[in-house]
Structure formats: C-alpha cells, structure tokens
Amino acid sequence: MVKGMGGAMDLVASAENIIVAMMHVNKAGESKILKKCTLPLTGVNCVKKVVTELAVLDVTPKGFKLVERAPGVSVEDIIKATEADLIIEGEIPEMQF
C-alpha cells in the first residue's frame, strides 16, 4: 500500500498503467510503502509502479518487487526504509540516467 496519495487516486482509477513518483519516507523518516493502508482506500489496484528517490518498485499481486535502486543506495538501505515486505530476485541494478 502506498500511503499519502489521498483523493488523487479517484481520478486515475480507470487508467491501465499508473506510475507513482513519491518520496520513499515521510519527514519523520517513516516508510510510505506500507504493508497495509490505514487510510480510506480509493483507486484500489490501479498503481503498477512506484518510483522513489531510493528505488523503482513494481506493484504485483504478491507485493512490491524491487526492480532498480538509486545510485549509491544499497538493497539493505531500501529494505530498512520500507515497511512492506519486498520481493527481491537476483542482483538489483542501479538506475541509469
């Protein structure tokens, strides 16, 4: 669950391929990539990919799959900054700019 998207998701619920760009943690350093949302849900199951300053995550039926990591950021850093369980398969490459 991605925390903090609010009513904006109502506008995109019918779209097929939604990519969310957001900060990975809040100002207090708490993960915004959650195991379970505590806010009212809108636009359920419409987000396909999340891009943060730390990582690129695919949203799959099994959870968040780590696809890429930001330059200089380790997989361990991303795990520590993420409340939700991550699917990590093989070597995770750095983002290329």
Side-chain angles (χ1 to χ4, degrees):
M1 182 54 53
V2 178
K3 183 178 181 181
M5 291 304 299
M9 298 312 289
D10 289 336
L11 301 173
V12 297
S14 62
E16 293 182 15
N17 189 23
I18 303 301
I19 300 171
V20 173
M22 59 180 272
M23 298 301 289
H24 206 96
V25 298
N26 65 20
K27 291 179 183 179
E30 300 166 330
S31 179
K32 294 177 78 173
I33 311 294
L34 305 177
K35 290 182 180 184
K36 184 176 181 182
C37 187
T38 57
L39 301 171
L41 295 175
T42 59
V44 177
N45 296 327
C46 65
V47 174
K48 303 298 182 203
K49 189 177 296 276
V50 176
V51 180
T52 75
E53 78 281 10
L54 300 180
V56 175
L57 307 166
D58 281 344
V59 182
T60 75
K62 294 181 180 180
F64 293 99
K65 181 179 179 183
L66 182 57
V67 177
E68 291 181 299
R69 55 191 173 84
V73 176
S74 70
V75 171
E76 291 77 22
D77 293 334
I78 297 165
I79 292 169
K80 288 178 188 175
T82 309
E83 176 190 298
D85 295 328
L86 294 174
I87 300 165
I88 302 170
E89 298 174 346
E91 187 71 23
I92 306 300
E94 281 192 355
M95 296 175 195
Q96 298 296 310
F97 297 104

